[in-house]
Amino acid sequence: MTGDLLIPRDAADLLEIVRDAAENQTPLEILGHGSKRGLGRPVQASRTLDLSNLAGISLYEPDELVLRAGAGTPLASISKTLAEKRQHLAFEPGDWGSLYGAAAGRGTLGGAIAVNLSGPRRIKAGAARDHILGFTAVNGRGEAFKAGGRVMKNVTGYDLPKLMAGSHGTLAVLTEITVKVLPAPETTRTLLVLGLEDARAVSAMSQALGSAHEVSAAAHLPSLSAARSPVPQIAAARRPVTALRLEGPEPSTVYRLKVLGEELSGFGEIAALDSATSELFWNGLRDLQPFRDEPTRPLWRISVAPSEAPGLAAALSSRIAFDHFYDWGGGLLWLALPPGADTAAQIIRAAFARGHATLMRAEPSLRSQVPVFQPQAPALAELTRRIKESFDPLYLLNPGRMQAGL
């Protein structure tokens, strides 16, 4: 404990710190390594709780596909351990430190669960919330509790592991988390379709995802975003690129790549990436490389039906300037506005009737002025408030992170 920075030595120490905060009604900002501190509204707290000491893998059973680790355990450390057994976190959490001007490689397991992080494989494997089996935590009353276990099962009442995923640390302080792990793919190939406009690209992705070829990721990068790809041949071409990932045993992957290429040949020029280059490409997309080197650019993530995404981008382009790309087969639209621009929140949210838009990055002054997360209907907002108060009645944990006054 140093001034306004609180660094618990272990879970017991953390429990005492939160109990003291509850007794004195002292709001706490909760951090792992702070790699995503710029995500969400600025927290209104007088003290910071640093969980970096709650680190380390306490259980790993490769045959049972289960791993348990402290909330402050770096994802890089977990990935290294899993790779030794040819396993991985299938929800593909990104390294977003550079996106917010922080150091790379600092993301933690607790942070990934707190924001429900997921990468391009979400369309096949789901998000972080679909892989958490159980956890231990401390709520805003200073009470230790746990939920879930080491296997997936149905429960009645709250599904607490899923409730914690995406709560941004506003309900409880996670101390230890158990997750499902899966075998890593034996090999990876990526089919590229070059030169497509947005609407045509979404049609190609939809056809591929609806095929029998088990596409595990589908993305489209217009020319400006493609030019920032870590793959030299894509960056140098300066053409739109539509990418489709295939994973599995070598013979199967090669065969599916060939047949899928034949089926999509009518869309445009076909190319392919080998396994190593595929990993480079998808890791760059997972980590939002097209937008991570300019931290002053407001960044939006918009989730809509894939069929509606190209029309939405076209409608917005007549009113605001942005660079963009599509993930999840077109269901996820990323928009990066010019450096120093206003967030254009009203324009963006008024442009679609179904879906939601999240302001993923902006200066703190801007994030405090507009709703960062999609505004909720009154009934849902009331339910959110009641859940918050059931876990944190004094509003001590990351107050204001998701909504003003909550």
Side-chain angles (χ1 to χ4, degrees):
M1 185 181 302
T2 306
D4 293 332
L5 179 63
L6 309 174
I7 310 176
R9 294 170 300 233
D10 52 29
D13 197 18
L14 168 67
L15 181 61
E16 290 304 315
I17 288 173
V18 179
R19 283 176 175 172
D20 180 74
E23 183 177 342
N24 293 286
Q25 298 190 27
T26 304
L28 300 171
E29 180 183 15
I30 304 164
L31 296 180
H33 289 165
S35 64
K36 292 177 284 295
R37 201 173 192 177
L39 174 57
R41 300 181 73 257
V43 172
Q44 306 301 308
S46 55
R47 310 193 85 174
T48 298
L49 183 58
D50 182 328
L51 306 182
S52 57
N53 282 340
L54 304 185
I57 297 171
S58 58
L59 179 143
Y60 176 37
E61 297 182 356
D63 293 340
E64 299 298 325
L65 301 177
V66 62
L67 178 144
R68 184 172 65 227
T73 308
L75 287 169
S77 174
I78 293 174
S79 295
K80 181 179 179 181
T81 296
L82 294 176
E84 293 172 356
K85 297 293 185 179
R86 298 191 58 81
Q87 295 181 343
H88 69 159
L89 296 173
F91 58 94
E92 206 170 8
D95 182 353
W96 286 2
S98 299
L99 195 70
Y100 299 105
R106 301 279 291 169
T108 63
L109 179 61
I113 297 300
V115 305
N116 193 31
L117 199 56
S118 58
R121 196 180 285 106
R122 179 169 184 169
I123 56 175
K124 182 178 180 181
R129 70 192 302 269
D130 301 300
H131 295 256
I132 178 173
L133 300 175
F135 67 88
T136 59
V138 177
N139 65 22
R141 295 184 177 89
E143 300 168 337
F145 70 105
K146 62 181 180 179
R150 290 169 52 183
V151 296
M152 299 295 285
K153 60 181 179 180
N154 294 322
V155 296
T156 57
Y158 286 145
D159 186 342
L160 293 184
K162 284 185 169 57
L163 191 63
M164 291 298 138
S167 65
H168 290 254
T170 61
L171 300 180
V173 185
L174 296 172
T175 56
E176 197 168 49
I177 302 161
T178 304
V179 292
K180 172 177 61 177
V181 301
L182 290 173
E186 179 182 312
T187 189
T188 304
R189 296 287 188 276
T190 301
L191 181 74
L192 304 178
V193 187
L194 304 176
L196 300 185
E197 295 298 320
D198 290 8
R200 188 72 169 154
V202 169
S203 295
M205 290 190 289
S206 296
Q207 180 173 325
L209 289 168
S211 73
H213 303 307
E214 299 183 27
V215 173
S216 68
H220 174 69
L221 283 69
S223 300
L224 290 176
S225 294
R228 300 188 182 100
S229 171
V231 178
Q233 69 193 76
I234 292 176
R238 295 187 175 273
R239 299 170 63 189
V241 58
T242 307
L244 304 159
R245 182 169 62 186
L246 300 167
E247 299 174 311
E250 177 80 17
S252 170
T253 305
V254 171
Y255 173 77
R256 286 181 286 133
L257 180 76
K258 175 180 178 297
V259 176
L260 183 59
E262 293 170 351
E263 293 177 1
L264 298 182
S265 60
F267 281 93
E269 181 183 344
I270 301 294
L273 303 178
D274 62 19
S275 209
T277 312
S278 291
E279 182 177 2
L280 183 65
F281 175 83
W282 292 106
N283 285 352
L285 201 69
R286 175 200 69 188
D287 298 343
L288 301 178
Q289 182 160 332
F291 304 141
R292 71 184 188 186
D293 294 331
E294 298 174 288
T296 61
R297 301 184 72 179
L299 180 65
W300 285 90
R301 182 176 71 178
I302 306 175
S303 178
V304 293
S307 60
E308 299 175 8
L312 172 61
L316 289 173
S317 67
S318 66
R319 302 195 62 186
I320 56 176
F322 57 81
D323 296 336
H324 68 296
F325 74 84
Y326 303 82
D327 201 354
W328 303 354
L332 191 65
L333 174 61
W334 290 94
L335 301 181
L337 278 58
D342 184 87
T343 64
Q346 291 185 336
I347 294 173
I348 290 172
R349 290 197 168 117
F352 58 87
R354 297 175 299 173
H356 55 85
T358 302
L359 179 59
M360 300 295 291
R361 182 181 66 193
E363 294 296 322
S365 59
L366 294 176
R367 288 186 284 117
S368 64
Q369 294 171 17
V370 303
V372 169
F373 299 94
Q374 185 72 21
Q376 297 177 330
L380 183 57
E382 173 61 17
L383 178 60
T384 299
R385 183 190 64 78
R386 288 166 58 190
I387 292 173
K388 168 70 171 177
E389 291 181 352
S390 69
F391 285 91
D392 181 23
L394 297 177
Y395 291 33
L396 300 181
L397 307 179
N398 275 353
R401 170 69 79 189
M402 300 190 73
Q403 299 178 34
L406 194 62

